[in-house]
Amino acid sequence: MCGACRARRASARETTTRAEFCAPCRDGARATTTRATRVADGASFDVVVCGAGAAGTSFARTYLETTARGGDGDGDGDGDGDGARGARLLLLDRGGCAKTVERVERVTRRASVYGAREDALGALEALGARTATASVAACDAESKTLTLDDGARVRYGALCVATGATPRCPLPEASDGAVDAHEVRDVESADALARRLSSMTATASADSDSKTKRIAIAGNGGIALELVDALCVRGLRARGLEACELVWLVKHGEVGDAFFDVDAADFLLRALDARRRDGEAKDDDGADVDWDSPTPERGAGRSTKKRARGRESGAAAGPDWLDRFRAKSAADDARAPLSRMKLRVLKNVCIREARKDANTGVNVLTLSDGTTIEVDAVVAAAGVEPRCDWLDEVAAPRSKSDGGILVDACMRTVGPYGDSIFAVGDACTMSARASNPETPWFQMRLWSQAAQTGAFAAKVAAGVCDADALGFNFEIFTHVTRFFGLKVILLGLYNAQKLDDVPANEVTTYQRESLADATYVRVLLVRGRMMGAVLVGDTDLEETFENLILDGVDLSRFGPSLLDPELDLEDYFD
């Protein structure tokens, strides 16, 4: 690579999509992004990163950029990893695709909206990495050696485990293996579901006299909420969709239990129903909603002293996978009318038995309440489990609660090889950092946290960051998303996470809601100090509440008037 292009690459920001190289260098870079690569047996690297999802890619980019600043900035290297760059790094991923999370919009100082992009795995070679489409079959932590699935052995100085997580299967172990089940975890699995949906709706459209096509979705987290939104609320441009039904199997008493308490979930459903009655959603005649076991109406603006249930992990949903899913679903017929599936919600149930009928080819699900339903496919959206089976538990001890690799405050494994093995993203469990009850931060398996932990661990590995994590947000949990078309912002210990040992009489929640403008606000206070908040819709309170949580201001004197729309809190706490 020429000197001018090497300088551009050395100064490129993490969020740069494609460096502006000269034509010969650009053509060379393009060639490296498309070829499948292997690693020579016996090759040695300073750092090996296993997994090119949000966490692994963030680690690789940050480490290369950080170490390059102290080196000569030369990213050229030969085929076995002996590059001249300041650090020799190998990035492994079986899928051959690198996923990068980027900030799209800053909502508050610490809360942001994130998006994702895909690059060919080889695209990171432009930053000085060596890449290979391979996975790890075994690890010898004592000799710092990895055995890859093609038999090659690779030595490392430091290892970063970023192998992510696998979807939890909602089907019983004894289920018929022929059951048509789909998982939604990444772009590839979302594309597969879109293809399956397209084939099903095409059949429904071609044969109006056929039996109703039906999909069951089992799960109650972010992916389930977003799929219901896409299929039954916003709709897709797919012919025949109105002749299909989505059966949502919820094992809890309310939807969205992985994110919300009873009141917040109830508001979301009533806001959805209000939108439909007001005609804000199109094609109403093809989108019946049947909420089994309905929750009674609740009044607005009330004060309660109840305990919300705490959770330390949740389903990981990509920041913008739903847009791609909708686009793929409409790819075959972009001019098709916007239509939506009928929705039926069954609460307090799970799948007890699943089999495929040999005569009809449909999947037969027996639920925990004894009822039986026939579906064309089952979608798994029941959370995730860390993917780290290839790493010995002696080398990297696991969490008993969720099976993730236990790490310390610097993302080092807590076992005997913490000086050489890091774990980031969904593969790890951050008990050490999340254990402090005074800090309103906890781990949830989200893409934003995966990218954050990857970048932080890279700084530690490069020797420029310590447990204080300066520049990284471990002060307050934040998450910005959209459910049922409404903006949702979660701040701090919004659902009483980490507060199990706090006496119930010291925990107070206040809430207010307005169906007219589709807004809902709930705050949680411990001994008068705000610890968390749920904001639905355009409330314009996120920055103020974030500051109140971080500052620990005593709000006891306000009582329920804390949420009075006429009260300008910024005047009190500027």
Side-chain angles (χ1 to χ4, degrees):
M1 178 174 285
C2 70
C5 288
R6 185 158 49 240
R8 292 190 186 97
R9 185 179 63 195
S11 62
R13 295 176 59 85
E14 181 181 345
T15 57
T16 301
T17 302
R18 182 174 65 91
E20 295 298 329
F21 301 142
C22 63
C25 292
R26 185 170 60 247
D27 293 341
R30 184 181 299 116
T32 65
T33 65
T34 57
R35 62 185 172 89
T37 56
R38 298 182 62 183
V39 182
D41 187 34
S44 179
F45 297 87
D46 292 340
V47 179
V48 175
V49 182
C50 300
T57 302
S58 179
F59 183 102
R61 288 179 178 275
T62 304
Y63 187 83
L64 290 168
E65 291 170 358
T66 301
T67 54
R69 297 187 188 107
D72 61 7
D74 190 343
D76 292 335
D78 58 23
D80 63 3
D82 296 326
R85 183 113 178 175
R88 294 174 300 160
L89 181 144
L90 172 65
L91 178 62
L92 301 171
D93 192 273
R94 179 73 270 172
C97 176
K99 299 180 177 67
T100 302
V101 173
E102 300 168 326
R103 179 182 290 113
V104 174
E105 175 191 358
R106 189 182 292 276
V107 177
T108 68
R109 227 168 34 151
R110 294 168 180 82
S112 298
V113 177
Y114 290 90
R117 76 166 191 266
E118 289 182 75
D119 295 314
L121 187 64
L124 272 78
E125 295 190 8
L127 291 174
R130 175 77 162 86
T131 65
T133 52
S135 58
V136 179
C139 173
D140 185 338
E142 185 173 358
S143 65
K144 299 184 178 180
T145 303
L146 300 176
T147 301
L148 306 186
D149 55 359
D150 62 1
R153 291 168 61 85
V154 176
R155 291 182 57 83
Y156 64 83
L159 173 66
C160 176
V161 181
T163 42
T166 57
R168 190 177 293 118
C169 182
L171 303 179
E173 291 185 5
S175 298
D176 182 351
V179 171
D180 188 3
H182 296 265
E183 62 186 38
V184 179
R185 173 61 186 167
D186 50 25
V187 171
E188 293 79 10
S189 57
D191 287 353
L193 177 61
R195 291 192 295 270
R196 179 69 180 89
L197 182 67
S198 296
S199 64
M200 192 180 78
T201 56
T203 303
S205 179
D207 186 3
S208 59
D209 296 328
S210 65
K211 199 170 183 179
T212 299
K213 298 294 182 179
R214 185 179 293 117
I215 286 180
I217 178 169
N220 202 14
I223 289 179
L225 286 165
E226 291 184 317
L227 269 177
V228 170
D229 183 34
L231 297 176
C232 304
V233 182
R234 286 193 284 170
L236 302 175
R237 296 203 176 278
R239 300 182 189 277
L241 198 66
E242 67 280 353
C244 303
E245 181 183 47
L246 179 68
V247 181
W248 190 2
L249 305 177
V250 178
K251 71 176 182 179
H252 309 104
E254 296 296 334
V255 303
D257 190 75
F259 286 93
F260 305 113
D261 73 341
V262 172
D263 292 328
D266 174 63
F267 172 79
L268 278 176
L269 297 188
R270 288 186 288 116
L272 170 62
D273 187 55
R275 286 174 56 207
R276 298 174 52 75
R277 287 199 310 268
D278 293 341
E280 293 178 13
K282 298 179 181 179
D283 300 331
D284 283 350
D285 54 348
D288 298 333
V289 177
D290 177 16
W291 303 110
D292 284 19
S293 305
T295 304
E297 290 284 317
R298 292 177 169 85
R302 62 194 177 93
S303 166
T304 63
K305 291 199 175 192
K306 59 175 189 171
R307 290 297 305 276
R309 281 190 295 168
R311 285 183 185 78
E312 302 250 346
S313 62
D320 53 8
W321 71 272
L322 200 59
D323 292 335
R324 180 186 176 105
F325 172 78
R326 288 166 59 87
K328 283 283 184 181
S329 300
D332 294 334
D333 192 355
R335 296 184 178 181
L338 188 69
S339 59
R340 293 178 291 154
M341 298 179 71
K342 299 176 183 178
L343 174 64
R344 182 155 53 108
V345 181
L346 303 180
K347 301 177 184 177
N348 296 307
V349 296
C350 56
I351 301 173
R352 191 173 66 192
E353 181 183 344
R355 61 181 178 85
K356 175 163 279 193
D357 189 297
N359 297 320
T360 63
V362 301
N363 305 287
V364 181
L365 308 181
T366 302
L367 307 181
S368 55
D369 63 358
T371 60
T372 299
I373 60 173
E374 295 183 349
V375 299
D376 294 270
V378 181
V379 179
V384 296
E385 296 176 347
R387 183 193 291 124
C388 44
D389 294 344
W390 54 273
L391 188 57
D392 187 85
E393 291 193 35
V394 175
R398 307 295 201 270
S399 164
K400 293 181 180 179
S401 62
D402 61 15
I405 299 172
L406 286 169
V407 295
D408 63 15
C410 287
M411 310 306 299
R412 302 186 186 96
T413 55
V414 301
Y417 303 102
D419 59 338
S420 59
I421 302 180
F422 294 81
V424 296
D426 289 356
C428 77
T429 299
M430 303 174 65
S431 298
R433 190 166 285 282
S435 61
N436 184 357
E438 300 299 321
T439 303
W441 184 91
F442 63 97
Q443 181 183 8
M444 183 177 278
R445 288 183 164 85
L446 304 166
W447 279 34
S448 55
Q449 282 199 5
Q452 180 186 26
T453 57
F456 172 52
K459 294 276 190 178
V460 173
V464 298
C465 201
D466 57 19
D468 290 336
L470 297 178
F472 292 90
N473 174 33
F474 293 110
E475 302 170 283
I476 179 173
F477 173 86
T478 62
H479 184 50
V480 183
T481 185
R482 297 189 75 88
F483 291 135
F484 298 159
L486 298 174
K487 179 171 68 175
V488 176
I489 299 178
L490 308 175
L491 299 173
L493 309 182
Y494 67 91
N495 212 14
Q497 295 89 346
K498 301 169 59 173
L499 299 180
D500 290 338
D501 295 332
V502 178
N505 61 357
E506 296 182 0
V507 179
T508 304
T509 63
Y510 301 119
Q511 71 180 48
R512 68 170 169 86
E513 63 180 57
S514 171
L515 286 175
D517 58 6
T519 59
Y520 173 90
V521 179
R522 181 171 65 82
V523 296
L524 184 148
L525 297 89
V526 175
R527 295 181 286 274
R529 289 170 170 79
M530 192 181 296
M531 295 296 290
V534 177
L535 307 174
V536 180
D538 295 319
T539 65
D540 294 327
L541 291 171
E542 50 268 23
E543 188 130 25
T544 299
F545 282 2
E546 180 184 274
N547 291 332
L548 289 177
I549 294 171
L550 290 171
D551 293 344
V553 178
D554 189 346
L555 304 170
S556 302
R557 58 187 168 129
F558 292 99
S561 65
L562 180 66
L563 300 186
D564 188 340
E566 302 300 320
L567 178 66
D568 192 345
L569 288 171
E570 292 183 354
D571 290 345
Y572 286 87
F573 305 109
D574 273 345

